[in-house]
Amino acid sequence: MTAVAEELLDLLDIEQLEVDLFRGVGSGGETTTRIFGGHVIAQALMAAYRTVEDRLCHSLHAYFIRPGDPAIPVIYQVDRARDGGSFTTRRVVAIQHGKQIFNLSASFHIAEEGWEYQHPMPDAQPPENWPDRPALREANVARIPEKYREDFLRERPIEIREIEPRDLFAPGPVDDRNQLWFRMEAAKGQGPQMQHCLLAYASDMNLLGSSLRPHGLTWFQGKVMTASLDHAMWFHAPIDFSDWHLYDLDAPWTGGGRGFNRGLIYNQNGQLAASVTQEGLMRPLKGRG
């Protein structure tokens, strides 16, 4: 297991302070300047899981309220909204500096039998056909100011291979539909609750970028301010995130300084494992003076 993978697993092993009160590490993971959105989603889901027995999350809905500060821990307060015969509902509030930075509602369901149907997995060339994220970044490091290069090349816990990756710095407008493969080999052997939290963490990766594609934008150009505004996720099938999963993404609408993004996550057997939606800020950055 790599050190960054172990760090992510430790990051999700949140500390219990009191009944329904938990503390999570704010630093680590994907970013260093602010807390990555998937970081607080996953920790909040884990806090909810620590108050639920014998059932798994089937859906979560969350709002990002303020940027997270990676320099201090995050406090998670769980409200036991309902414990029913088949469904359990939890509300989680994340707090830093005495203010809410994020809130999440999650629903948990007992295992039940029912009719099964799904859209088929789209055709996609396999992950071994595409370069991994470190190789792409290494090839572009000379285009990054020197003071940012170490962070740009920093090892991350989730392995990503984009299908037909774009130029990071000079992309042209392209279709909003895009795909990537991702996994975390260190997820092997983890329980279903941790598998859900790891996939929730990864579900925030590249999602907002779908709405930038038709406009020929990326985060590296300095032309757009982006931030996740909300996030919703539904779990459909058992997760083993140590195996490759296909993330099939699109953005059917942008406007008013926002973009609406969707994602379907399939395992390598073609089973639909999860669905994701997110609206994100995509505000034009205007020059000063």
Side-chain angles (χ1 to χ4, degrees):
M1 183 185 301
T2 66
V4 291
E6 187 171 3
E7 180 183 71
L8 177 54
L9 293 173
D10 288 344
L11 182 148
L12 297 182
D13 186 20
I14 57 175
E15 176 189 4
Q16 183 162 5
L17 301 176
E18 245 295 354
V19 176
D20 301 338
L21 195 65
F22 303 87
R23 177 166 56 197
V25 176
S27 60
E30 284 296 306
T31 61
T32 57
T33 56
R34 62 181 179 180
I35 299 179
F36 171 58
H39 177 140
V40 287
I41 296 170
Q43 285 188 334
L45 178 57
M46 183 60 79
Y49 259 128
R50 294 285 170 86
T51 70
V52 175
E53 294 182 3
D54 302 326
R55 52 194 67 182
L56 294 175
C57 181
H58 70 92
S59 70
L60 62 86
H61 300 259
Y63 280 94
F64 299 94
I65 301 170
R66 294 179 175 89
D69 180 358
I72 64 170
V74 185
I75 301 300
Y76 295 93
Q77 187 171 28
V78 180
D79 174 23
R80 301 183 186 229
R82 180 175 183 266
D83 290 291
S86 300
F87 290 90
T88 294
T89 307
R90 294 291 184 262
R91 181 172 179 268
V92 184
V93 177
I95 300 167
Q96 282 189 317
H97 302 292
K99 297 179 179 179
Q100 289 190 34
I101 65 166
F102 171 88
N103 62 50
L104 173 143
S105 294
S107 182
F108 303 78
H109 186 200
I110 63 170
E112 291 194 46
E113 295 295 324
W115 294 275
E116 295 189 4
Y117 168 80
Q118 67 163 70
H119 285 185
M121 178 178 174
D123 291 332
Q125 293 187 38
E128 54 267 22
N129 286 18
W130 305 103
D132 60 17
R133 179 167 50 168
L136 285 174
R137 294 201 164 201
E138 187 68 45
N140 285 279
V141 69
R143 301 163 80 179
I144 288 282
E146 189 170 352
K147 63 180 178 179
Y148 299 123
R149 290 179 184 175
E150 183 178 355
D151 190 58
F152 183 67
L153 295 177
R154 182 172 54 86
E155 187 180 3
R156 266 78 169 181
I158 308 295
E159 187 175 356
I160 291 181
R161 299 194 178 188
E162 292 184 56
I163 294 176
E164 298 181 358
R166 291 191 297 160
D167 187 312
L168 296 177
F169 298 89
V174 292
D175 190 82
D176 61 277
R177 180 97 182 257
N178 64 109
Q179 297 171 327
L180 61 85
W181 292 97
F182 58 0
R183 69 175 177 182
M184 180 177 160
E185 289 188 278
K188 190 173 185 64
Q190 297 293 326
Q193 294 85 355
M194 180 62 81
Q195 299 286 353
H196 276 189
C197 292
L198 290 171
L199 192 65
Y201 176 97
S203 70
D204 193 33
M205 303 175 78
N206 285 46
L207 181 58
L208 197 159
S210 298
S211 56
L212 303 181
R213 292 170 61 89
H215 308 286
L217 296 170
T218 71
W219 292 284
F220 298 97
Q221 299 164 295
K223 295 181 179 180
V224 59
M225 175 191 295
T226 64
S228 301
L229 299 174
D230 59 14
H231 194 96
M233 189 170 186
W234 295 261
F235 296 97
H236 308 307
I239 308 295
D240 182 357
F241 198 44
S242 66
D243 290 333
W244 286 110
H245 284 66
L246 179 71
Y247 206 0
D248 185 43
L249 302 153
D250 72 355
W253 175 86
T254 65
R258 305 186 311 278
F260 177 65
N261 308 278
R262 303 182 297 192
L264 298 175
I265 302 174
Y266 296 85
N267 63 31
Q268 280 195 294
N269 295 325
Q271 189 175 28
L272 182 61
S275 301
V276 186
T277 61
Q278 183 182 96
E279 190 173 51
L281 178 71
M282 44 181 297
R283 179 179 291 153
L285 286 175
K286 301 176 181 178
R288 297 181 179 180

